Amino acid sequence: MGKELLKQLPLYALVALGLTLIFLSNSPLWNSFCADQSMFSVIGANWAEGKLPYVDTWDSKGPIIFFMNMIGHSLARGEMGIFILQTINLVAVLTLSHYYLRRHCTLRRTWAYNAVFLMAYTIICSGGNQVGDTNLVLAVWSVMLIHEWSRGMAAGRFAHPWGYAFVYGMFAASCLLSRLTNAMLLVWLVAAIALVLMGKGLWRNLGANILSFTGGFAVVFVPFAVYFAAHGALGEMWYAMLSYNMEYALHSSASAVNDLTPSYPLYFAAYFICLIATVVYAAIAIAKKEKRLQAVVWGAASLLTLVWLVRSYCNANYAISYLPAIFVAMTELGEMGRRWKVARWALYGVAAYTALFFANHIRVYRDYMQKPQEIDPGMAMTRGIGRDEPFVAWEVDPTYYIYDNRKPCYRFFSMQDWAIENGPSLRPLMRDCYARGNAKWILVKDTPHCNIRDILARRYVVVSRDAAHGLTLYRIKRKDPKTHPCPLPKREGNEQF
């Protein structure tokens, strides 16, 4: 296995490089940027220069995505370092999946399943450098280990290796430190493992797994917690990655996507084919009485995750951390396909459907990387403002900062109204920042509906407007000696208070 893997590694490296060059937004072929990734890149670049996430630049994600962008900016100028890290990450994912797939599949099938995985990833990656990318290796590792354990149940091996739980703990911590909902599938799978162990009376084994899970969680979580606590920002980290995101998740559930266009269900199926394929495999296995308990575990976990997704914003990149489940579905369908025609055709259907939408993605993927309409007018309006003058944009797409090579002077620097809409607790924090901060210039999109229009009227004067794009440039009326770059609230874990 080791020699074979070494032979395959250069091929996987070429495949990964080809994919990242063609389909990722920060590829040197395109050098274009997408909104979320620009937020992560700006925060990472600031961190590389010694400015702390959440304190100097803020977004509602855990620190791992900012950490990876910080490493990328430390490796190379611009977005090249981030691009290199994304390529390495994908090579690691393919190599790890190859190692586990080859335990049950031929070399030919292993490559075929990895090809389907890559097509599915391309459909949902939304330009790359997404939150789910930061824990994709751990996601693959966790799913493959749970698959190994679940296959043993058919032979009466119900005890769960405690070493596997250590990996699940690392993955769970990485989800908390990125986006907690990335762990949704893992939560249901781990719950199923616990129920099986309790049902079989394997209490000592369950205890060992709990301890191992806790250890894996601590290995990933503690270094970040200690780092931010040492810098007096643990409370800010906790609020951004958990407290605020609980509000966000509840809001997205209450505002479920109601796209009734005929094509939407087709796209939904393409985005979340990994979970749908797993549910299909489980249904066939249960109907054909093939390893039913294993099928129930995977089918129930995938179905419950799909239920949550239907009630969320259903963004394609939500599926990145769940994507490794497609390996389970294909492996099991491939094995059942030797005996049951319906399983064989289900496998072909999953591959064909993924390939069809991959072909469609080739047709449209460059559209995702188009520069937002307000960027060029915004850059024209701010051309005369020096790079060293305190400046920030409100509700303007964060790609502005990268295209115009500017640094925001406030931690709340982009898409502020959107963030407040999804988490109202953020509103007083932002308003306090802008009411007492020292930004000399503010570029605002849609002033009549923004959450600081009264502050702008009181503290700033209008310099110029672009009505066609809804942009207004403001300059502060006078310098207040009591202002602060962006005041922090008193919060547990912020030692400066």
Side-chain angles (χ1 to χ4, degrees):
M1 177 69 76
K3 291 182 179 179
E4 177 185 290
L5 201 56
L6 287 174
K7 290 180 180 179
Q8 303 301 317
L9 185 58
L11 296 175
Y12 281 132
L14 286 174
V15 169
L17 180 60
L19 187 147
T20 53
L21 276 172
I22 296 171
F23 294 107
L24 298 196
S25 63
N26 57 11
S27 161
L29 293 180
W30 317 125
N31 200 32
S32 60
F33 313 105
C34 300
D36 285 350
Q37 296 94 315
S38 295
M39 293 281 281
F40 310 149
S41 180
V42 169
I43 296 173
N46 275 268
W47 198 356
E49 295 176 3
K51 297 180 179 179
L52 199 64
Y54 312 118
V55 173
D56 296 299
T57 41
W58 191 95
D59 188 31
S60 58
K61 301 294 185 293
I64 284 184
I65 184 65
F66 312 140
F67 179 75
M68 296 307 298
N69 278 259
M70 181 270 286
I71 295 296
H73 281 287
S74 300
L75 284 175
R77 292 175 61 88
E79 305 297 301
M80 180 55 70
I82 301 170
F83 170 78
I84 293 171
L85 290 180
Q86 290 179 100
T87 304
I88 293 172
N89 185 56
L90 202 54
V91 174
V93 165
L94 294 173
T95 304
L96 186 62
S97 63
H98 181 101
Y99 174 80
Y100 283 101
L101 286 172
R102 283 292 281 130
R103 295 185 176 189
H104 313 292
C105 308
T106 64
L107 180 60
R108 182 178 176 181
R109 279 184 178 265
T110 295
W111 268 94
Y113 294 166
N114 262 330
V116 174
F117 173 90
L118 285 175
M119 288 189 292
Y121 172 78
T122 302
I123 294 168
I124 64 175
C125 72
S126 305
N129 192 25
Q130 293 286 348
V131 175
D133 290 311
T134 61
N135 46 38
L136 186 54
V137 170
L138 287 171
V140 171
W141 199 2
S142 296
V143 164
M144 291 304 199
L145 291 178
I146 296 174
H147 186 219
E148 291 296 310
W149 168 78
S150 67
R151 287 174 66 90
M153 289 193 295
R157 298 189 300 272
F158 296 100
H160 184 276
W162 62 266
Y164 291 8
F166 190 88
V167 178
Y168 311 157
M170 290 194 297
F171 178 48
S174 74
C175 292
L176 175 61
L177 291 166
S178 56
R179 182 173 56 216
L180 187 57
T181 52
N182 288 350
M184 187 69 69
L185 180 63
L186 177 76
V187 166
W188 297 119
L189 289 170
V190 168
I193 293 170
L195 287 173
V196 169
L197 295 182
M198 287 188 287
K200 296 299 178 180
L202 298 171
W203 298 102
R204 292 183 66 181
N205 184 238
L206 177 61
N209 276 271
I210 292 173
L211 289 174
S212 182
F213 182 96
T214 303
F217 187 94
V219 163
V220 175
F221 180 79
V222 169
F224 284 95
V226 169
Y227 176 86
F228 282 93
H231 288 78
L234 183 59
E236 290 302 315
M237 182 190 83
W238 193 257
Y239 169 73
M241 77 177 188
L242 186 63
S243 302
Y244 171 85
N245 274 299
M246 294 298 290
E247 291 183 73
Y248 187 99
L250 291 171
H251 180 273
S252 65
S253 295
S255 307
V257 175
N258 291 311
D259 190 337
L260 301 179
T261 61
S263 63
Y264 177 72
L266 299 176
Y267 278 97
F268 180 90
Y271 296 156
F272 305 108
I273 189 70
C274 54
L275 298 172
I276 294 170
T278 310
V279 171
V280 170
Y281 135 66
I284 295 173
I286 292 170
K288 298 298 184 181
K289 300 180 181 179
E290 291 260 351
K291 296 183 284 188
R292 277 183 162 179
L293 184 55
Q294 173 184 323
V296 167
V297 167
W298 286 100
S302 299
L303 186 59
L304 288 168
T305 305
L306 275 170
V307 168
W308 170 77
L309 285 166
V310 168
R311 292 179 55 79
S312 74
Y313 282 125
C314 292
N315 292 326
N317 63 76
Y318 287 3
I320 293 175
S321 292
Y322 314 138
L323 188 55
I326 202 169
F327 289 131
V328 176
M330 291 189 294
T331 300
E332 296 299 328
L333 286 171
E335 287 191 0
M336 288 194 297
R338 298 169 190 156
R339 297 179 296 281
W340 308 104
K341 188 177 294 186
V342 64
R344 186 162 63 251
W345 283 107
L347 176 61
Y348 295 158
V350 169
Y353 195 85
T354 305
L356 175 65
F357 274 82
F358 174 73
N360 180 67
H361 191 75
I362 293 174
R363 179 181 64 87
V364 302
Y365 78 96
R366 289 293 290 148
D367 294 340
Y368 296 116
M369 304 177 197
Q370 296 298 316
K371 189 185 296 184
Q373 292 184 352
E374 74 262 24
I375 300 304
D376 283 334
M379 290 169 60
M381 294 173 71
T382 58
R383 189 170 293 127
I385 300 175
R387 294 292 189 275
D388 58 341
E389 296 187 70
F391 170 88
V392 70
W394 179 279
E395 197 60 15
V396 176
D397 192 281
T399 56
Y400 165 86
Y401 295 99
I402 298 180
Y403 281 115
D404 205 38
N405 191 30
R406 287 189 184 275
K407 298 288 186 182
C409 66
Y410 288 166
R411 61 181 183 141
F412 303 115
F413 62 93
S414 182
M415 308 307 292
Q416 295 91 335
D417 288 321
W418 165 260
I420 290 172
E421 179 185 346
N422 286 278
S425 67
L426 203 57
R427 189 174 189 269
L429 304 182
M430 286 191 179
R431 283 181 54 82
D432 185 59
C433 177
Y434 280 76
R436 296 196 290 141
N438 65 359
K440 180 179 179 180
W441 302 91
I442 303 181
L443 178 66
V444 180
K445 182 179 179 182
D446 194 16
T447 299
H449 299 99
C450 80
N451 280 273
I452 59 166
R453 56 186 178 275
D454 58 321
I455 296 172
L456 292 171
R458 184 174 70 253
R459 300 189 65 203
Y460 290 82
V461 295
V462 174
V463 175
S464 61
R465 282 194 175 97
D466 183 333
H469 298 92
L471 296 174
T472 307
L473 180 63
Y474 292 88
R475 185 183 67 239
I476 198 165
K477 291 179 179 178
R478 62 183 179 83
K479 185 74 173 179
D480 186 345
K482 296 181 180 180
T483 59
H484 185 283
C486 191
L488 281 175
K490 185 174 182 179
R491 200 189 303 282
E492 185 178 351
N494 295 338
E495 294 176 359
Q496 63 266 44
F497 290 92

